[in-house]
Amino acid sequence: MSGISASAEGLVRPDELPPAVVGGFWGRLRAKLFSSWWSTATTLLLGYLILRWGFAFLAWSLGHAVWSVPYTAQGAPDTAACHAVKGIGACWAVIADKYRLILFGRFPFAEQWRPAICIALFIGLYVVSALKRFWRKELALIWTATLTVIGLLMWGGVFGLTYVRQDLWGGLPLTLILSTFGLALAFPLAILVALGRRATNLPAVKLLCVLYVELIRGVPLISVLFMASVMFPLFLPEGLDIDKVLRAQLGIVLFSAAYLAETIRGGLQAMPREQFEAADALGLGYWRKTLLVILPQALRLVIPPLVNSFIGLFKDTSLVLIVGIFDLLNTGKVAMSDPVWQPFSTEVYLFLAAIYFTFCCAMSQYSRRLEREFDRGRK
Amino acid sequence: MSGTPDISHSDLRPPPRPRMRFALSDPRFRGLVWQVAILGLVGFVGWFLVRTTNINLDHRHIATGFGFLDRVAGIPITETLVPYDPGKDVYGRAILIGILNTLRVAVIGIVLATLLGTVIGIGRLSPNWLLAKLTAGYVETLRDIPLLLQLLFWYTLLQGLPPPKQAFQIGESFFLSNRGIKYPWPVWTPELGWTLMAVAIGIVVTLIWRRQARSIHNATGRRLAVWPVGVGAILIAPTALFIAFGAPLTFDVPALRGFNFVGGGLLGPELGALLTGLVIYSSSYIAEIVRAGIEAVPKGQWEAGGALGLRRGILLRRIVIPQALRVIVPPLTSQYLNLVKNSSLAIAIGYQDIVSVASTTFSQTGQAIEGILIIMLVYLAFSLSISLFMNWYNARITLVER
């Protein structure tokens, strides 16, 4: 061993020896931040900008921020303190004043504990669905039960709860309802469409499914929402009228079903052929084969992309603002339009962005972790 | 579906197809029954919807059809690419302008988002830890905030700029105010047109020469330089022509008159906010696509190129990028389609794209079905043409298996 290295030392000129590996904290720092003059320049420039803007942002959002303002005798907020720091400090008082409106919209003030519980139920539902030990048929039951309870809490009219019309719903619960009910109702439809698109022995059904998926995926959501809000009333016989929120919900379901169907089809395609053949060999019919053998495996496979679809759906529900429904973004907009608080819209936007970001980021982190796990399992 | 033994002998004829039995136990008959049932159901629902719609339209005295396209629109449109007069022009022309506005946003947005996304995506792969983390943070944050929220934010920000009287002046004649960016715009003259034509001819000549040079190179091994011809045909010849015309270039410079600017070109706050939001949002998706594409090129390819003694530029251009593109193009296509569809959010900030114009049209005329049909057809046409183009491009760059 030593003889070899000695002879190598004899052959290699000193300046051709491999660079010395520098370990430890400083070594790593050098390798990651100052490995070349180009890297050093980048580090210095970015470091300077981060420090400068980071501190400026901290000073604006925390240091000079105004957290609450006094109220005048008439009950109107006195925003003089906010105007005094405009440009150098954030005015979080707008959130303190308006958070009930932003979170719950026009839901009757005294009853707002009901949508608050709904938010908690939704988060609980997401957490339960994320746990692998609940990935069984019972999950469908849990979803049905939770969504029923949420419907009861929002509508009321039973158990001594006062009835609240849907046009009074708003804020975060409405965003969660539109996206979660959208997913739950689109899911069965999407499975049928995905199966139909793979049914080579039923060409007419296959064509129908292909047309549906490709047409919906070719047009923007807003056109589907317009259709839901303007054309649906024309579709129904006179006297039968469904509410604006329900119509938008229906539009979202039709829209997301097309995207979900493609995701599920991906899972069906990824199933090895032996699974189909084994089910055939057992003598199972089409539906038993699909329900007992194929779907349970295929759906498991597509959970990460399903979560990603749900993130997209969650963000896309903000579009209902355009057809005049008071989701989280729209209630935020209403809060900003108050003339007293109008100059402080940036703070409201940041608050809304933080809420959306928290939900989406948690879900995307989860989906990525799951994907890595699945990849490991396959190797 | 199963059970047919794999027979590969060519002398064996396939067994005769059994005749379909009219019993539910025959899979083919069952398939037929299913199809008839499902199509019948869909057909019935469709017939029912059309019938009730017709009844409802009759009751509301709304005539169907596209006759309204010939009526005078009276929709004021601030940003137009072709001349438009709301007092005289018809709905058809207003919708055409909406389509052109959507196209403008789509084209500029796709170009800028691709550039920004590529830069960010390469930044994520940087060996510099700070740059990699920062670009990762950019991607993560922007993907997790709804585009509509970002658009509204940018629009509010641009509207918060000072009025034209206190506009920020950039350089000599660029003005940034709450009415948008005013910039100098060349005054159109026929001579200018000839010069541009000369540039176009120069490009064509250069391309033809390049082909020629390549085929000579392939046939004889003699290398002919392309760039002198390019410089001559694209730069020098048009410049000479331009000077011969007496340099007929004058700029229409914006100037403050009363409360607003006159002259020059305008990039309105609506278009500005829409482009900013769309480009930033889409670039975060494109960055991930670019990163994944470059990471998909095996390290051995870099090393092999290095072993051949290729310079880094050539290594990237000839070896890495062509292979990365094969991975990048399909998801990039769907991202472009998303960008075009997302541009429909323009309506929320008052940029008059096709959705906005068509929705104004149907709220004025009551022709909701026709209006929504127009929107959907326009987007389907966009989607189809982008898919076709990208499929053609993808077929061009896919690996030629030998």
Side-chain angles (χ1 to χ4, degrees), chain B residues 294-342:
Chain B
I294 295 179
E295 276 184 340
V297 178
K299 213 174 147 204
Q301 296 287 327
W302 290 85
E303 290 168 352
L308 287 176
L310 297 180
R311 275 180 285 120
R312 197 184 150 81
I314 295 184
L315 180 69
L316 271 174
R317 229 178 41 236
R318 296 275 176 190
I319 295 184
V320 177
I321 291 178
Q323 297 187 62
L325 273 183
R326 287 182 201 127
V327 183
I328 288 174
V329 166
L332 195 62
T333 307
S334 63
Q335 207 47 56
Y336 286 169
L337 292 176
N338 280 347
L339 189 143
V340 174
K341 284 185 274 171
N342 281 337

Side-chain angles (χ1 to χ4, degrees), chain A residues 111-146:
Chain A
E111 301 285 326
Q112 283 181 1
W113 56 271
R114 281 157 51 182
I117 293 180
C118 288
I119 296 178
L121 281 174
F122 273 121
I123 295 175
L125 186 63
Y126 300 153
V127 171
V128 166
S129 314
L131 297 176
K132 270 202 190 131
R133 86 178 76 124
F134 288 101
W135 289 359
R136 285 179 287 158
K137 269 180 233 115
E138 289 80 358
L139 193 60
L141 269 171
I142 297 178
W143 271 66
T144 319
T146 316

Side-chain angles (χ1 to χ4, degrees), chain B residues 49-71:
Chain B
L49 293 181
V50 169
R51 203 185 70 107
T52 42
T53 307
N54 279 334
I55 294 174
N56 282 328
L57 288 176
D58 271 353
H59 279 224
R60 297 179 199 190
H61 306 292
I62 302 173
T64 48
F66 287 91
F68 69 96
L69 290 176
D70 294 332
R71 275 185 269 149

Side-chain angles (χ1 to χ4, degrees), chain B residues 5 66 84 107 115 147 166 185 198 214 221 226 233 240 271 274 300 304 306 318 341 351 400:
Chain B
F66 287 91
Y84 170 80
V107 170
L115 291 177
L147 173 61
Q166 287 104 41
W185 189 246
R214 215 176 259 173
V226 176
L271 180 57
L274 183 63
R318 296 275 176 190
K341 284 185 274 171
Y351 176 73
V400 184

Side-chain angles (χ1 to χ4, degrees), chain A residues 198-222:
Chain A
R198 282 173 58 84
T200 36
N201 53 337
L202 307 176
V205 174
K206 189 180 167 187
L207 182 72
L208 209 66
C209 294
V210 171
L211 273 181
Y212 168 70
V213 169
E214 295 307 324
L215 280 183
I216 294 280
R217 277 158 44 99
V219 299
L221 172 57
I222 186 64

